[in-house]
Amino acid sequence: DLCSARSGKMAEEGKARDLEVSTFISVYNGKWPAEFDKDVHSGRQKSKLLQVRWARWDPEERTLEVGAGKIFTPIAKCLRLYLFLPPHPASPPFIFAGDDTPPTVGQALDRVAQRAAERRTPLSVLVDQVVDSVAQEVQAGTVDWNELGMRDDDETNFADVYEIAAKNRKSMDAAICLATAACRSLRRVTILDPFPYMFLDAQGGQDFDACRLALESLPPTRMISSSSDATLTEQQGKLLRWLTDLKGVRIKDDAAPGADKRWEGKGVEPVFELRLDHSSDPEMAALEAKYGSVAAFHGSALENFHCILRCGLKS
């Protein structure tokens, strides 16, 4: 009985750890970090801050991958940090970075892991400590942005935007169309969420007219290329980077419309599919294993999908 009680307690503690992971990663799936709005309103130096840009969970390895970067750093250039989280919350985490990370960063992560082993630290606090430890190394001058793969000119170097336009034009087209529909809507105050930061004033006010004009002035995506005459202005480049920075949302071309069995009997043949490809959610996986799952369909007005892709269904 004692062994059964102990096993049951460990199972419950394991569920608590998985729930903590689910709660944490949900914040970063599909939208910009909540801290960004606070940075804009408080007038902090946003481009110099190092913060969590995404979080992905690998259930088999029990590893949480965290992408850390300045708010304008292209996703591919963010520093990747990893936290191995044992099922038992009392077990200490193992924190590490990639092989090409400077040694001083590895040493800073080891110090965070050592402190975490001495006390029970909530996951959200632990991740903040991990990211802050890297930022402190930068501030101390023991490592610079270039060593972390983040150059000072990343904010105005739009090579990543040109690459998306070349390799995933439908993705960029869709993002522009959805944002434009939301911006033109009479409900734009609530559905253009999140709002493009470059059209916020010093007090956090939203300039919808400037946003609409900027969206309508973007060149056709087929003409967006580093070798094209239709080069991007700084505002256009930042807007396109923001629109396509979807934390895991990808558009999959449907090469054989109607071949997907999910569409049988629905009376439609999609041209392309917007697929949410987020990391595994341990709580969702447990519920799916217990109750099963079905493919469901939800229709909505075009103007709603800018918000739906980033914030989910609100009602």
Side-chain angles (χ1 to χ4, degrees), residues 161-184:
V161 177
Y162 292 127
E163 183 178 1
I164 293 173
K167 294 183 177 180
N168 206 352
R169 184 162 59 88
K170 283 186 177 179
S171 175
M172 184 175 284
D173 266 333
I176 295 170
C177 290
L178 297 179
T180 302
C183 194
R184 290 175 174 175

Side-chain angles (χ1 to χ4, degrees), residues 142-177:
T142 58
V143 65
D144 60 33
W145 292 117
N146 286 332
E147 291 180 276
L148 298 178
M150 290 174 274
R151 302 197 313 267
D152 288 336
D153 65 349
D154 280 339
E155 184 176 347
T156 54
N157 179 356
F158 301 118
D160 57 310
V161 177
Y162 292 127
E163 183 178 1
I164 293 173
K167 294 183 177 180
N168 206 352
R169 184 162 59 88
K170 283 186 177 179
S171 175
M172 184 175 284
D173 266 333
I176 295 170
C177 290

Side-chain angles (χ1 to χ4, degrees), residues 3-306:
C3 291
S4 298
R6 184 173 299 173
S7 298
K9 182 179 180 182
M10 292 181 64
E12 288 301 318
E13 290 176 338
K15 290 181 181 178
R17 167 57 66 85
D18 286 349
L19 178 59
E20 189 179 25
V21 172
S22 294
T23 302
F24 179 80
I25 64 175
S26 67
V27 177
Y28 299 99
N29 278 343
K31 62 181 296 186
W32 284 64
E35 290 83 355
F36 180 67
D37 288 336
K38 299 176 186 176
D39 293 339
V40 170
H41 295 247
S42 63
R44 296 167 65 189
Q45 296 296 317
K46 303 175 292 301
S47 62
K48 299 300 181 184
L49 293 177
L50 190 69
Q51 60 181 256
V52 179
R53 295 289 303 281
W54 82 84
R56 303 195 188 286
W57 174 247
D58 184 335
E60 295 183 357
E61 300 292 335
R62 292 202 62 82
T63 301
L64 180 68
E65 178 187 7
V66 173
K70 293 182 283 187
I71 194 64
F72 301 109
T73 302
I75 285 295
K77 294 189 177 182
C78 287
L79 177 65
R80 295 173 185 266
L81 305 168
Y82 302 89
L83 292 82
F84 170 73
L85 304 174
H88 196 289
S91 301
F94 179 54
I95 306 170
F96 58 99
D99 294 336
D100 56 347
T101 305
T104 52
V105 171
Q107 294 165 7
L109 297 180
D110 288 342
R111 291 193 291 270
V112 175
Q114 185 175 359
R115 290 196 301 270
E118 298 170 354
R119 62 180 68 88
R120 173 74 177 95
T121 306
L123 180 58
S124 59
V125 175
L126 179 59
V127 173
D128 283 342
Q129 292 175 351
V130 168
V131 175
D132 287 344
S133 70
V134 179
Q136 288 169 10
E137 294 301 316
V138 175
Q139 292 174 347
T142 58
V143 65
D144 60 33
W145 292 117
N146 286 332
E147 291 180 276
L148 298 178
M150 290 174 274
R151 302 197 313 267
D152 288 336
D153 65 349
D154 280 339
E155 184 176 347
T156 54
N157 179 356
F158 301 118
D160 57 310
V161 177
Y162 292 127
E163 183 178 1
I164 293 173
K167 294 183 177 180
N168 206 352
R169 184 162 59 88
K170 283 186 177 179
S171 175
M172 184 175 284
D173 266 333
I176 295 170
C177 290
L178 297 179
T180 302
C183 194
R184 290 175 174 175
S185 171
L186 296 176
R187 299 185 297 116
R188 60 188 185 180
V189 174
T190 56
I191 63 176
L192 189 57
D193 179 24
F195 186 85
Y197 71 86
M198 64 287 302
F199 303 109
L200 292 171
D201 59 29
Q203 288 72 43
Q206 300 171 325
D207 191 339
F208 288 97
D209 290 335
C211 180
R212 177 180 56 80
L213 290 174
L215 286 166
E216 293 174 351
S217 69
L218 289 172
T221 54
R222 68 178 182 277
M223 297 177 61
I224 298 176
S225 168
S226 56
S227 60
S228 170
D229 292 335
T231 54
L232 298 172
T233 65
E234 182 174 336
Q235 184 188 69
Q236 289 174 331
K238 290 180 178 179
L239 176 58
L240 286 173
R241 176 180 288 158
W242 184 86
L243 287 172
T244 53
D245 187 5
L246 299 181
K247 309 294 184 296
V249 176
R250 298 290 181 267
I251 288 185
K252 175 186 175 183
D253 295 347
D254 194 343
D260 193 328
K261 300 297 183 183
R262 292 175 302 164
W263 299 102
E264 285 187 351
K266 301 297 187 298
V268 294
E269 290 187 356
V271 176
F272 59 88
E273 177 183 351
L274 282 77
R275 181 184 295 274
L276 293 174
D277 186 21
H278 297 315
S279 64
S280 298
D281 184 326
E283 185 183 17
M284 178 64 188
L287 292 173
E288 185 176 9
K290 184 176 181 179
Y291 300 107
S293 64
V294 296
F297 297 87
H298 171 77
S300 188
L302 182 67
E303 63 189 25
N304 294 331
F305 276 94
H306 170 84

